[in-house]
Amino acid sequence: MKLTASNLAQWFVQGDHYSIALDENQLVFESKQMTQTVPFSIWDGQCRVSRGLVWGRLTFIVSPVDRPAQKIAVYGLPWSQVHEFAETLSEHYQAWLGKQQNKFMLVEPELIALRDELRDFSGFLRVEDLKAWQVKAQEVFERCGVLPQVMATANPALYQSLYGWLQNGEAQRNARNTAWRDEELARWSTWFDGVESSPLNDSQRQAVLMDDNHNLLLAGAGSGKTSVLMARAQYLVASQQTEPSRILMLAFGKKASEEMAERLAKAGLKGVETSTFHAFALKAIKEISGQDANIAPMATDEETKHSWMTLWLAENFAQPAVEKRWLKHLAQWSIPGLSAERPLVEQAHEAKLQRWLWRLVDLLAQQSQSVTTIKASIKGDEKAESELALVQPVLKGYLAALKEQKAYDFNSLIKEATKLLSKKSESFGARYDHIMVDEYQDISPARLALLEALCGGKRNRAPSLFAVGDDWQAIYRFAGSDVSLTTGFMSRFPSGVIRYLDTTYRFNSQIGAVANAFIQVDPQQLSKPLDSAREQKKKAVHLMPSDAMESVLEKLAKSAGDKPTSLLLIGRNNANKPEALSEWQSQYPNLSISYVTAHGSKGLEADYSFILDVDDGTFPAKSSGEGLESALLSVADEMEHAEERRLFYVALTRGRHECWVFSHPEKPSVFAKELWQGSYPVTSKLSKKVLQAV
């Protein structure tokens, strides 16, 4: 069935459509340039008739799935036939639509159930929840063969509901979750007031409710991250979203893990699994493989480690080829504890040599890339290439010894657990609904791979990862942590969610004005507000010459009076510990004075703090810039002293009331100079001339 313009009409029509045909359940339009086919499924069934001076015109509205609705007009049609042709098209369309509606009636209950699945969903609707529903919905539509306009005609409300979630799902999800969050905040308001020793603030309450597939909570120094972790675990159980045994809380150290367990027990929440990464890896290996995972004595006992290394070095130094390689290296670069002036085999027991070797062996063992990739990455760094040639055989021998003992060290333990979980995550990981990780900024690539394996597999609902950390306090790169796994969280998990705790209860606003601005000089650190609960106008960070330390101590002790006052002395290394510390502790009994390294100060707080020896070459520490260790720890495009800056930030944020930064009067470090040269609210007793020097 076809209606076509006459030859004369076609000449007048030029490039427009001049022919319309009905072919089964589709319309076929012709013009001089093309033929266009439109199935009934994208036509609205309307055929609009209009008349020109001589001929008739038919206009159709079509709505392709992937494009906006469009108008198609056919010109130059014989007017005497236009109405009859339009009626015939409408009759064919109505007959087709009737059959489709009969088909729809058969599947309507299934589509209603599909709609109700989202309507009745309780809790936070995650990205993966929505994706899973959308996949299921598409499968239903494809199987049933129901067309959109059929549903729109037969059941408009159902159509709008289903296609709203299919075509604009993320906006619908966000709106639904916002409403859910507001309801939860109101419902649990009184509970949030009393769950911890102090009522949770708004950002803490919002954080407790984070429940997407991948959640990162940035918790600045003193912002109450532990309170959020504890409150979240209790909320999940109290709101009946899960059982205690289906929550896994992971920490990096045994002490931190035990403290979490103690706090949960004190709160009356029993059954939550708290563990270190290594203890969890041991459990996973045993349960999946059915065999105990033995930790090698070399991994835990220094004497055993020393004995193995001494024997390995003695045996290998006795080989001329090995000795020649080491001597060639020594001719250009030094090695701690080793001298070319004595037979190498006689020095195999040297403690400094072994510490240097174990350090590089451990770093190499942590790497996820192959040796070939490592060689390519250090190409051109002669020292690094030479050190790799020395250390790689040691690592190979060490791994062979572990294999012979059928035992693991801590690196291989994580890797083996990850390998097994990748295969069995659907069964092993299915026991957990929520995985919570403390101090996430210290995550290493190997530990993150374990988490991803645990959360992977094809399951209806994978565990929610709730990571709490602070990229501003990432100071353990030397131990294998990678801060880019935190700063690049959204790159790794594009559907992830990042929130932050915006209030610190530790230090006042003047310390915050210095510390928060100082850390954000590095553009790679994540930007976030961290307001102090205690506002003050008096400056609280002071630059002082090192020889003024005793006078500051005396004034501090005098002002403290009988009030118990704590003072933290913080140095870059143990070498910065003051010789007079014991004397000061006796001389000022009203001051509780203790010394820690900058790394050891993390997690601690005191009324006041001293940062010692902020001198050129001391804090920030010098970086060799070459060698294998430097190459393995390097971060692409990282600004100079990036990790040292984070370490100094940690030191700055230990004191509640005031912080004194002590430097050599003639050799203040770049950090001390920056605090003076920048727009930081600090006082100074150092020479302006020295501080202003570039």
Side-chain angles (χ1 to χ4, degrees), residues 85 92 117 132 150 182 284 298 340 401 405 413 567 612 664:
F85 190 86
H92 274 80
E117 187 176 324
V150 174
D182 290 343
M298 283 191 294
Q405 296 172 17
L413 184 71
L567 171 63
L612 314 181
H664 189 288

Side-chain angles (χ1 to χ4, degrees), residues 29 154 250 301 345 355 415 439 519-520 557 559 571 580:
F29 301 93
L250 291 170
D301 184 73
V345 70
R355 281 197 296 271
K415 290 181 179 179
E439 302 289 7
I519 190 62
Q520 291 183 91
S559 65

Side-chain angles (χ1 to χ4, degrees), residues 354-421:
Q354 292 197 15
R355 281 197 296 271
W356 178 80
L357 264 177
W358 279 118
R359 171 68 178 142
L360 293 180
V361 165
D362 186 56
L363 279 177
L364 268 182
Q366 291 177 22
Q367 304 305 306
S368 56
Q369 65 263 42
S370 66
V371 174
T372 302
T373 303
I374 293 173
K375 286 181 177 178
S377 68
I378 65 174
K379 191 172 181 61
D381 184 339
E382 293 183 2
K383 185 178 181 182
E385 291 178 321
S386 181
E387 287 178 345
L388 180 61
L390 302 182
V391 177
Q392 188 184 349
V394 183
L395 175 60
K396 187 176 180 181
Y398 173 64
L399 294 177
L402 291 178
K403 187 175 182 180
E404 184 179 341
Q405 296 172 17
K406 296 182 179 179
Y408 301 96
D409 68 354
F410 295 117
N411 289 319
S412 59
L413 184 71
I414 295 291
K415 290 181 179 179
E416 179 65 16
T418 301
K419 183 174 72 175
L420 293 173
L421 283 169

